[in-house]
Amino acid sequence: MTGPEPLLVAGVGNIFLGDDAFGPEVVRALEQRPLPPGAHVRDFGIRGMDLAYALLGGCATAVLVDAAPRGQRPGTLSLVEAEPPDATVVPEAHGMDPEKVLALATHLGDEPLPRVLVLACEPAVLPSPDEDIAPGLSAPVREAVARAVDALHTLIPVLLADPAAPTPPLGRPMESGTPHAAALPGLGTGGPEDR
């Protein structure tokens, strides 16, 4: 019997809400260009509880791939390190707000969470969950899928070799950022709280 994978790559987002499908689309693209052994790639969609338990499963590092409004040009990729949630964040068992998922995982587990990075793509179309179904990525976000796969192929070997390694810069037209909670979708960005 094998132990847990040292690194989790988690696609998150609702495939029926426009650019929110970015994370699942990147996971699908990785089927054609698999990451190195030791990286477990999984599409979590909008299953926040499943992701919370996966974060408690013993991985050293998790990379969440998601659409996240950060005030950039649509299609811009950002790599940010998520801060551990503080006590003001209410855990939620339903939905896929990454900040609330981290709070839920913290609430459920006794061990510290793994290092969590977010590979975020600036959306052009991100309807609210109240709106009708709007499947399909916008053109700039669709173009960003291949760049995200390239970025993961650069990032993941570095993290497999050293889970605490500084993240390599993504390069233009991408950016990398310093740790801050605003990197998480729905926090201080005016984005949807739940998906």
Side-chain angles (χ1 to χ4, degrees):
M1 182 173 176
T2 61
E5 300 286 356
L7 192 144
L8 173 66
V9 177
V12 299
N14 189 329
I15 61 170
F16 297 113
L17 291 180
D19 287 341
D20 199 41
F22 174 73
E25 286 294 324
V26 170
V27 168
R28 280 184 17 155
L30 285 169
E31 292 172 4
Q32 303 304 312
R33 290 185 58 202
L35 292 170
H40 179 69
V41 179
R42 187 168 166 202
D43 177 6
F44 285 89
I46 56 172
R47 297 182 319 275
M49 179 71 85
D50 289 349
L51 177 56
Y53 278 114
L55 292 171
L56 298 171
C59 64
T61 311
V63 179
L64 309 185
V65 183
D66 195 12
R70 301 190 68 232
Q72 304 292 325
R73 198 177 71 238
T76 301
L77 295 178
S78 303
L79 181 63
V80 289
E81 188 152 355
E83 290 183 342
D86 62 31
T88 64
V89 179
V90 179
E92 183 179 294
H94 306 289
M96 183 49 99
D97 177 335
E99 183 185 26
K100 291 180 180 181
V101 170
L102 293 177
L104 178 62
T106 301
H107 178 76
L108 292 172
D110 295 329
E111 300 296 319
L113 292 181
R115 180 183 188 190
V116 177
L117 301 171
V118 181
L119 178 59
C121 181
E122 184 72 30
V125 179
L126 197 59
S128 74
D130 304 354
E131 293 184 46
D132 290 337
I133 292 174
L137 297 179
S138 65
V141 173
R142 176 143 313 279
E143 292 170 6
V145 169
R147 289 186 286 116
V149 170
D150 290 342
L152 288 168
H153 274 275
T154 299
L155 175 65
I156 297 310
V158 172
L159 295 175
L160 285 170
D162 179 5
T167 58
L170 295 177
R172 294 179 187 242
M174 303 176 252
E175 65 178 32
S176 55
T178 55
H180 56 83
L184 298 173
L187 178 65
T189 62
E193 291 184 10
D194 296 314
R195 289 185 239 168

